[in-house]
Amino acid sequence: MVYVMIFCVSIGLGLQKTGALIGRIVTDKDQVDSAFSIRYTLVNTGAFIGTFLVGILYKDVFAKNGVLGFAPCFKLAAVSMWLGALWFFVLGNRFMGEVGKKPFKFEKTAEELEREKAEKAAHKEEAKDEPLTKVEKKRIAAIFLVAGFSVIFWIFWNLAYLPVYYYWTENMNWVVAGYEVPTTWFDAANSIFCVILGPVMAMLWRKLAARPQGDMSLFKKTGIGIGVLGVSYIFFAVLDVMRGGAKISVLWLLIFSFILTLGEMFFSPLGHAFISKYSPSRYLSTMMAVWGIATFISSLAYGPLFSATFEGGFKFSSVCIAIAVVAFISAVVLFVLDKRLSKLVEDEDEVEA
């Protein structure tokens, strides 16, 4: 039944195209990163409410005779999702207009329409299955490349959760003001920081985009995000050394969660924005799926990596420092190769102009 649940979740996520829809609603490329940062805030508003309330519900409200109340929580989640689907169907047509009613290949971007217009002006016959242009091929390659770096990012990001559940649960004091803090509140902390940082990052991207030299490339933003993740592991190492074998307060995890979330906000919301900007319309959904495949690979990898490192008999702080070093090296590589990588998404005609 667990695998049936996973299958249903996968189908639901596969059909959920809100990222691609936003990429068509917001047509100004300079505003796309900001739009996806705001979307990330809205998504994590629900994530915060869910993880915060569930921590209380399964442990304190629905628990009976020593059995934790997970079943009622799942029922509540099911009702919430059905209400969300009803909300979308009722208000979608009213506020979203024609966006999303047709396959994305029929909703071309302004750049694609301009190119098509130029081809018609040159008396070129329009083929039913237009071949990819050189620029489009390079942009698809860039999407695969960014997805590859996202594997590294998400391995480190997901890996950071496991020490919280399997190391710090034993080496931290989880009682605050007489109340035992549910472990789900660590997820809630990440969500609330996403909610807070979303508008801040949106304003930052908008301000950077308004500069004469334009915004930073996604490759640099990814580098910063991976670098910040490295800092979070350094913080873990410092905590372990600082405690000296004693238990420290779970409140320290708030600082760790903030650093982790800051790294996430430099990268995660912008992946879909990058795909929306540069994917050919007829392959937009497919390119979004590439992002999902990268998440799948990282989800497979971080468990065995945890077993080989944190559970491999090595010192906790040493493992954290080693992971941080790998993260810093990855960030430096992205910064050094930024110009070469950025050329993959540039329109050669615009560059020559």
Side-chain angles (χ1 to χ4, degrees):
M1 292 304 294
V2 171
Y3 281 103
V4 171
M5 180 191 70
I6 293 173
F7 177 78
C8 292
V9 170
S10 300
I11 293 296
L13 288 174
L15 291 172
Q16 187 187 44
K17 302 296 182 184
T18 54
L21 289 173
I22 290 175
R24 287 297 174 265
I25 294 171
V26 182
T27 56
D28 185 350
K29 285 186 178 181
D30 290 337
Q31 304 299 324
V32 172
D33 285 358
S34 297
F36 276 88
S37 293
I38 295 298
R39 171 187 181 248
Y40 214 67
T41 288
L42 297 175
V43 169
N44 278 282
T45 300
F48 168 72
I49 294 172
T51 50
F52 183 80
L53 288 182
V54 165
I56 299 172
L57 293 174
Y58 86 83
K59 190 174 74 70
D60 301 323
V61 178
F62 295 139
K64 289 183 180 180
N65 302 322
V67 179
L68 296 175
F70 288 110
C73 289
F74 279 119
K75 293 175 183 177
L76 183 61
V79 172
S80 299
M81 285 184 281
W82 277 106
L83 290 175
L86 180 64
W87 176 273
F88 183 84
F89 276 113
V90 171
L91 297 181
N93 290 333
R94 180 178 176 184
F95 291 104
M96 296 178 64
E98 298 299 314
V99 175
K101 289 187 176 180
K102 297 179 181 179
F104 293 119
K105 65 180 180 180
F106 296 123
E107 296 182 352
K108 298 180 180 180
T109 63
E111 182 181 345
E112 289 170 329
L113 291 172
E114 188 66 28
R115 186 183 298 121
E116 186 179 273
K117 183 179 178 181
E119 290 177 354
K120 288 182 179 179
H123 304 290
K124 292 183 178 180
E125 293 183 1
E126 184 180 357
K128 291 183 179 180
D129 297 316
E130 299 175 2
L132 289 170
T133 65
K134 184 179 179 181
V135 172
E136 288 175 332
K137 290 178 181 178
K138 289 168 64 178
R139 288 177 175 178
I140 288 177
I143 290 171
F144 275 95
L145 189 62
V146 171
F149 278 105
S150 78
V151 172
I152 300 173
F153 178 90
W154 286 117
I155 286 175
F156 290 160
W157 194 92
N158 287 316
L159 183 63
Y161 268 68
L162 296 184
V164 173
Y165 299 143
Y166 297 105
Y167 185 79
W168 291 120
T169 49
E170 298 178 357
N171 295 293
M172 280 186 170
N173 180 9
W174 286 71
V175 177
V176 177
Y179 180 74
E180 185 177 353
V181 176
T183 54
T184 57
W185 282 13
F186 180 71
D187 297 78
N190 168 251
S191 298
I192 194 62
F193 286 137
C194 285
V195 171
I196 295 170
L197 288 173
V200 175
M201 302 305 285
M203 288 188 289
L204 175 62
W205 306 144
R206 189 167 184 172
K207 187 174 182 179
L208 291 176
R211 299 183 306 171
Q213 64 270 40
D215 197 358
M216 284 192 298
S217 70
L218 181 70
F219 303 105
K220 281 187 176 181
K221 291 175 182 177
T222 304
I224 293 174
I226 295 177
V228 173
L229 285 188
V231 173
S232 70
Y233 280 95
I234 293 294
F235 182 78
F236 257 176
V238 171
L239 278 185
D240 195 49
V241 173
M242 183 181 69
R243 71 185 184 87
K247 289 188 176 183
I248 56 176
S249 174
V250 71
L251 294 176
W252 284 103
L253 286 182
L254 287 174
I255 299 175
F256 174 80
S257 180
F258 177 80
I259 301 172
L260 190 71
T261 305
L262 183 61
E264 179 183 356
M265 294 304 295
F266 266 95
F267 178 64
S268 184
L270 307 182
H272 283 167
F274 183 81
I275 295 172
S276 295
K277 286 181 187 178
Y278 298 115
S279 172
S281 294
R282 56 194 184 279
Y283 295 120
L284 180 56
S285 292
T286 304
M287 291 300 101
M288 289 290 185
V290 169
W291 197 255
I293 292 172
T295 305
F296 166 73
I297 295 172
S298 63
S299 297
L300 282 179
Y302 79 89
L305 182 60
F306 177 79
S307 298
T309 54
F310 289 104
E311 292 187 335
F314 302 100
K315 191 175 180 180
F316 181 84
S317 57
S318 299
V319 173
C320 290
I321 292 172
I323 293 172
V325 169
V326 175
F328 294 148
I329 292 174
S330 300
V332 170
V333 168
L334 281 167
F335 266 79
V336 171
L337 298 179
D338 174 62
K339 289 185 177 179
R340 292 184 181 180
L341 297 175
S342 296
K343 287 182 179 179
L344 292 174
V345 297
E346 293 176 350
D347 191 320
E348 294 176 355
D349 295 333
E350 292 178 2
V351 174
E352 291 176 0

